[in-house]
Amino acid sequence: MGNSATPSWLSGLAELAPSYAAAFCDVWGVIHNGTEAGSPAVDALIRFRLAGGRVVLITKAPRTSRYIVRQLDELGVARHAYDDVVTSGDVARSLLAARGKTRLLHVGSEVHRHLYDGLPVELVDETTCDVISCTGLFDDNSETPEDYLERMKRWRARDVPLLCVNPDIVVERDGRLVWCAGSLARQYRELGGSTEIVGKPYAPIYRAAFDRLSAVAGAPVDADRVLVIGDGAETDLAGAKQQRLDALFVTGGVHAGEFGSRSHPDLRAVHGFLATTGVGATALMQRLAW
């Protein structure tokens, strides 16, 4: 169907479903907000699968797929709402494994340290590290990127490369925005630091998603039969554009504040936002529903 800078509103995913064999669906901002799942979104994915579609959840989370499945279980997201999950953490593990034995500085929450389990890495401090793996801020409840500026100057002085495991700049958590690893990667790059970012909108995670899709479908699926569902312009929509995939833009997520009323977004504001950001969408919904 193709993406447009002036897409129309949908009453539900059912209007698009017959045109697609599969969906690459975002998780945070579409299925849940960090603390609770959206029942209409889960129902929409279940109905899409009942109609014959396949669903691969594609998330920028700096965790492995099994942790995301566990989180979705805890939030009450039925496993029959999706076929498989691919994460930024999965892609990062592949890249780190390919580096071989490495001295690594982990920047982010302690809960993300499981990402390195079984890899040939030694966790060290900033004075001896060969690479920095950034999964987020140490405390995203109280810190901002500015709190890392002096540290980054020291990293830059040693010319240490930074691997950003979550491209998000911010995400919505329980009605408020919190800083993510992408904000630190952006700041480090502005200082001249070498930065590699995995996850959406970059190609490696889409290659992984197509591999997972082929496995669950039993055969390769043409790109023009895959619909991206997401709420992030710089990640979901930009990734869809770069991979030449159609996109359903969920406006009630991270960018909701740009469009006036959260429950009744201004269509002209949405179209203006898409034009300004240089991305498009095939269609729009305030929240994913069938």
PDB file of all heavy atoms in Angstrom, residues 125-139:
ATOM      1  N   ASP A 125      36.165  -1.328  34.708  1.00  0.00           N
ATOM      2  CA  ASP A 125      35.791   0.074  34.865  1.00  0.00           C
ATOM      3  C   ASP A 125      36.227   0.882  33.638  1.00  0.00           C
ATOM      4  O   ASP A 125      36.821   0.349  32.688  1.00  0.00           O
ATOM      5  CB  ASP A 125      36.364   0.661  36.155  1.00  0.00           C
ATOM      6  CG  ASP A 125      37.894   0.678  36.168  1.00  0.00           C
ATOM      7  OD1 ASP A 125      38.522   0.681  35.087  1.00  0.00           O
ATOM      8  OD2 ASP A 125      38.463   0.696  37.278  1.00  0.00           O
ATOM      9  N   GLU A 126      35.964   2.189  33.680  1.00  0.00           N
ATOM     10  CA  GLU A 126      36.202   3.019  32.494  1.00  0.00           C
ATOM     11  C   GLU A 126      37.677   3.236  32.196  1.00  0.00           C
ATOM     12  O   GLU A 126      38.034   3.655  31.094  1.00  0.00           O
ATOM     13  CB  GLU A 126      35.510   4.371  32.657  1.00  0.00           C
ATOM     14  CG  GLU A 126      36.080   5.251  33.749  1.00  0.00           C
ATOM     15  CD  GLU A 126      35.442   6.631  33.783  1.00  0.00           C
ATOM     16  OE1 GLU A 126      34.258   6.764  33.387  1.00  0.00           O
ATOM     17  OE2 GLU A 126      36.129   7.575  34.190  1.00  0.00           O
ATOM     18  N   THR A 127      38.551   2.941  33.144  1.00  0.00           N
ATOM     19  CA  THR A 127      39.979   3.191  32.920  1.00  0.00           C
ATOM     20  C   THR A 127      40.646   2.088  32.108  1.00  0.00           C
ATOM     21  O   THR A 127      41.743   2.304  31.567  1.00  0.00           O
ATOM     22  CB  THR A 127      40.726   3.351  34.256  1.00  0.00           C
ATOM     23  OG1 THR A 127      40.675   2.119  34.987  1.00  0.00           O
ATOM     24  CG2 THR A 127      40.115   4.475  35.083  1.00  0.00           C
ATOM     25  N   THR A 128      40.038   0.916  32.031  1.00  0.00           N
ATOM     26  CA  THR A 128      40.671  -0.213  31.337  1.00  0.00           C
ATOM     27  C   THR A 128      39.793  -0.834  30.249  1.00  0.00           C
ATOM     28  O   THR A 128      40.214  -1.787  29.605  1.00  0.00           O
ATOM     29  CB  THR A 128      41.051  -1.317  32.341  1.00  0.00           C
ATOM     30  OG1 THR A 128      39.876  -1.747  33.037  1.00  0.00           O
ATOM     31  CG2 THR A 128      42.074  -0.812  33.349  1.00  0.00           C
ATOM     32  N   CYS A 129      38.604  -0.319  30.036  1.00  0.00           N
ATOM     33  CA  CYS A 129      37.679  -0.958  29.087  1.00  0.00           C
ATOM     34  C   CYS A 129      38.107  -0.754  27.635  1.00  0.00           C
ATOM     35  O   CYS A 129      38.731   0.242  27.282  1.00  0.00           O
ATOM     36  CB  CYS A 129      36.261  -0.436  29.294  1.00  0.00           C
ATOM     37  SG  CYS A 129      36.051   1.325  28.949  1.00  0.00           S
ATOM     38  N   ASP A 130      37.752  -1.752  26.812  1.00  0.00           N
ATOM     39  CA  ASP A 130      37.963  -1.673  25.367  1.00  0.00           C
ATOM     40  C   ASP A 130      36.725  -1.156  24.647  1.00  0.00           C
ATOM     41  O   ASP A 130      36.818  -0.630  23.535  1.00  0.00           O
ATOM     42  CB  ASP A 130      38.294  -3.062  24.798  1.00  0.00           C
ATOM     43  CG  ASP A 130      39.521  -3.665  25.423  1.00  0.00           C
ATOM     44  OD1 ASP A 130      40.531  -2.950  25.569  1.00  0.00           O
ATOM     45  OD2 ASP A 130      39.480  -4.871  25.767  1.00  0.00           O
ATOM     46  N   VAL A 131      35.568  -1.359  25.251  1.00  0.00           N
ATOM     47  CA  VAL A 131      34.303  -0.955  24.654  1.00  0.00           C
ATOM     48  C   VAL A 131      33.322  -0.645  25.776  1.00  0.00           C
ATOM     49  O   VAL A 131      33.410  -1.198  26.878  1.00  0.00           O
ATOM     50  CB  VAL A 131      33.743  -2.071  23.726  1.00  0.00           C
ATOM     51  CG1 VAL A 131      33.402  -3.325  24.522  1.00  0.00           C
ATOM     52  CG2 VAL A 131      32.515  -1.586  22.952  1.00  0.00           C
ATOM     53  N   ILE A 132      32.401   0.280  25.501  1.00  0.00           N
ATOM     54  CA  ILE A 132      31.327   0.617  26.439  1.00  0.00           C
ATOM     55  C   ILE A 132      30.028   0.061  25.867  1.00  0.00           C
ATOM     56  O   ILE A 132      29.692   0.322  24.714  1.00  0.00           O
ATOM     57  CB  ILE A 132      31.204   2.143  26.617  1.00  0.00           C
ATOM     58  CG1 ILE A 132      32.510   2.732  27.140  1.00  0.00           C
ATOM     59  CG2 ILE A 132      30.044   2.485  27.552  1.00  0.00           C
ATOM     60  CD1 ILE A 132      32.638   4.224  26.895  1.00  0.00           C
ATOM     61  N   SER A 133      29.320  -0.694  26.676  1.00  0.00           N
ATOM     62  CA  SER A 133      28.010  -1.186  26.283  1.00  0.00           C
ATOM     63  C   SER A 133      26.968  -0.433  27.102  1.00  0.00           C
ATOM     64  O   SER A 133      26.914  -0.563  28.327  1.00  0.00           O
ATOM     65  CB  SER A 133      27.889  -2.691  26.535  1.00  0.00           C
ATOM     66  OG  SER A 133      26.566  -3.141  26.289  1.00  0.00           O
ATOM     67  N   CYS A 134      26.162   0.374  26.433  1.00  0.00           N
ATOM     68  CA  CYS A 134      25.194   1.230  27.116  1.00  0.00           C
ATOM     69  C   CYS A 134      23.783   0.692  26.901  1.00  0.00           C
ATOM     70  O   CYS A 134      23.278   0.675  25.772  1.00  0.00           O
ATOM     71  CB  CYS A 134      25.302   2.659  26.603  1.00  0.00           C
ATOM     72  SG  CYS A 134      24.133   3.794  27.382  1.00  0.00           S
ATOM     73  N   THR A 135      23.157   0.269  27.990  1.00  0.00           N
ATOM     74  CA  THR A 135      21.772  -0.209  27.927  1.00  0.00           C
ATOM     75  C   THR A 135      20.793   0.833  28.436  1.00  0.00           C
ATOM     76  O   THR A 135      19.580   0.633  28.348  1.00  0.00           O
ATOM     77  CB  THR A 135      21.610  -1.498  28.754  1.00  0.00           C
ATOM     78  OG1 THR A 135      21.881  -1.212  30.129  1.00  0.00           O
ATOM     79  CG2 THR A 135      22.539  -2.596  28.257  1.00  0.00           C
ATOM     80  N   GLY A 136      21.301   1.918  28.997  1.00  0.00           N
ATOM     81  CA  GLY A 136      20.450   2.975  29.531  1.00  0.00           C
ATOM     82  C   GLY A 136      21.218   3.793  30.543  1.00  0.00           C
ATOM     83  O   GLY A 136      22.442   3.698  30.661  1.00  0.00           O
ATOM     84  N   LEU A 137      20.513   4.609  31.308  1.00  0.00           N
ATOM     85  CA  LEU A 137      21.119   5.360  32.395  1.00  0.00           C
ATOM     86  C   LEU A 137      21.187   4.462  33.627  1.00  0.00           C
ATOM     87  O   LEU A 137      20.401   3.527  33.757  1.00  0.00           O
ATOM     88  CB  LEU A 137      20.306   6.612  32.704  1.00  0.00           C
ATOM     89  CG  LEU A 137      20.443   7.800  31.731  1.00  0.00           C
ATOM     90  CD1 LEU A 137      19.885   7.460  30.352  1.00  0.00           C
ATOM     91  CD2 LEU A 137      19.752   9.034  32.292  1.00  0.00           C
ATOM     92  N   PHE A 138      22.109   4.760  34.519  1.00  0.00           N
ATOM     93  CA  PHE A 138      22.192   3.969  35.745  1.00  0.00           C
ATOM     94  C   PHE A 138      20.902   4.094  36.548  1.00  0.00           C
ATOM     95  O   PHE A 138      20.405   3.124  37.106  1.00  0.00           O
ATOM     96  CB  PHE A 138      23.386   4.414  36.598  1.00  0.00           C
ATOM     97  CG  PHE A 138      24.717   4.035  36.013  1.00  0.00           C
ATOM     98  CD1 PHE A 138      25.625   5.002  35.613  1.00  0.00           C
ATOM     99  CD2 PHE A 138      25.064   2.703  35.858  1.00  0.00           C
ATOM    100  CE1 PHE A 138      26.859   4.655  35.080  1.00  0.00           C
ATOM    101  CE2 PHE A 138      26.296   2.339  35.321  1.00  0.00           C
ATOM    102  CZ  PHE A 138      27.190   3.318  34.926  1.00  0.00           C
ATOM    103  N   ASP A 139      20.340   5.307  36.593  1.00  0.00           N
ATOM    104  CA  ASP A 139      19.082   5.542  37.301  1.00  0.00           C
ATOM    105  C   ASP A 139      18.228   6.485  36.466  1.00  0.00           C
ATOM    106  O   ASP A 139      18.362   7.704  36.555  1.00  0.00           O
ATOM    107  CB  ASP A 139      19.342   6.144  38.689  1.00  0.00           C
ATOM    108  CG  ASP A 139      18.064   6.351  39.496  1.00  0.00           C
ATOM    109  OD1 ASP A 139      16.973   6.048  38.967  1.00  0.00           O
ATOM    110  OD2 ASP A 139      18.154   6.819  40.633  1.00  0.00           O
TER     111      ASP A 139
END
